[in-house]
Amino acid sequence: MKDYIDRMTENQARQFRAAVLNIVSQIPRGQVTTYGHIATLAEWPSHSRMVGRTLRYAPEAPDLPCHRVVNAVGRTAPGWSRQRTLLEAEGVRFKPNGHVDMSRHLWEHFD
DNA sequence: CAGATGACCGCAG
DNA sequence: TCTGCGGCCATCT
């Protein structure tokens, strides 16, 4: 049982952000992954919210496919309708409820 | 320094 | 399938 919380030092926060950007840059075209999964791959589980923050305030780099990141149920980022357009252009299918068909496009970072 | 916020998550109901 | 709620934790007010 966890009776205390590990807090990030500034240096760890820097590495965390770098790891997030690195992971996102590896998402294959036509596939998506989740904030929580990225946090886990970055070795900081439970920091899914920080992943979202990192991407929201990250500089819009052309080589950073942050549009391939959705939440656990496949919902796209609020206030960014263009994300769906970008994904559909890659062949990503959306279900009638407006969510990405995760069973078909979820990227698990297989090596 | 206390309370609110969010590109989140998972479990009920 | 959808909504609500509690938990989460760095930031913001």
Side-chain angles (χ1 to χ4, degrees), chain A residues 57-97:
Chain A
Y57 296 103
E60 50 221 57
D63 55 320
L64 188 68
C66 57
H67 61 281
R68 298 188 186 135
V69 182
V70 297
N71 72 12
V73 296
R75 179 153 53 215
T76 54
W80 190 24
S81 57
R82 190 173 147 61
Q83 179 177 18
R84 174 168 181 161
T85 305
L86 292 171
L87 289 175
E88 292 184 313
E90 301 185 352
V92 173
R93 292 189 183 180
F94 281 72
K95 301 196 293 184
N97 59 13

Side-chain angles (χ1 to χ4, degrees), chain A residues 2-70:
Chain A
K2 184 160 103 161
D3 48 5
Y4 70 94
I5 299 172
D6 284 330
R7 295 191 177 284
M8 281 184 173
T9 62
E10 283 191 29
N11 188 54
Q12 291 175 315
R14 265 195 311 110
Q15 296 194 353
F16 175 76
R17 287 191 286 270
V20 168
L21 298 183
N22 178 54
I23 293 167
V24 172
S25 70
Q26 296 180 55
I27 306 175
R29 185 185 164 76
Q31 287 191 272
V32 301
T33 194
T34 72
Y35 298 94
H37 190 219
I38 291 174
T40 299
L41 292 178
E43 297 180 13
W44 281 96
S46 80
H47 282 59
S48 52
R49 306 195 88 128
M50 299 309 107
V51 173
R53 170 180 288 281
T54 298
L55 295 182
R56 174 62 183 84
Y57 296 103
E60 50 221 57
D63 55 320
L64 188 68
C66 57
H67 61 281
R68 298 188 186 135
V69 182
V70 297

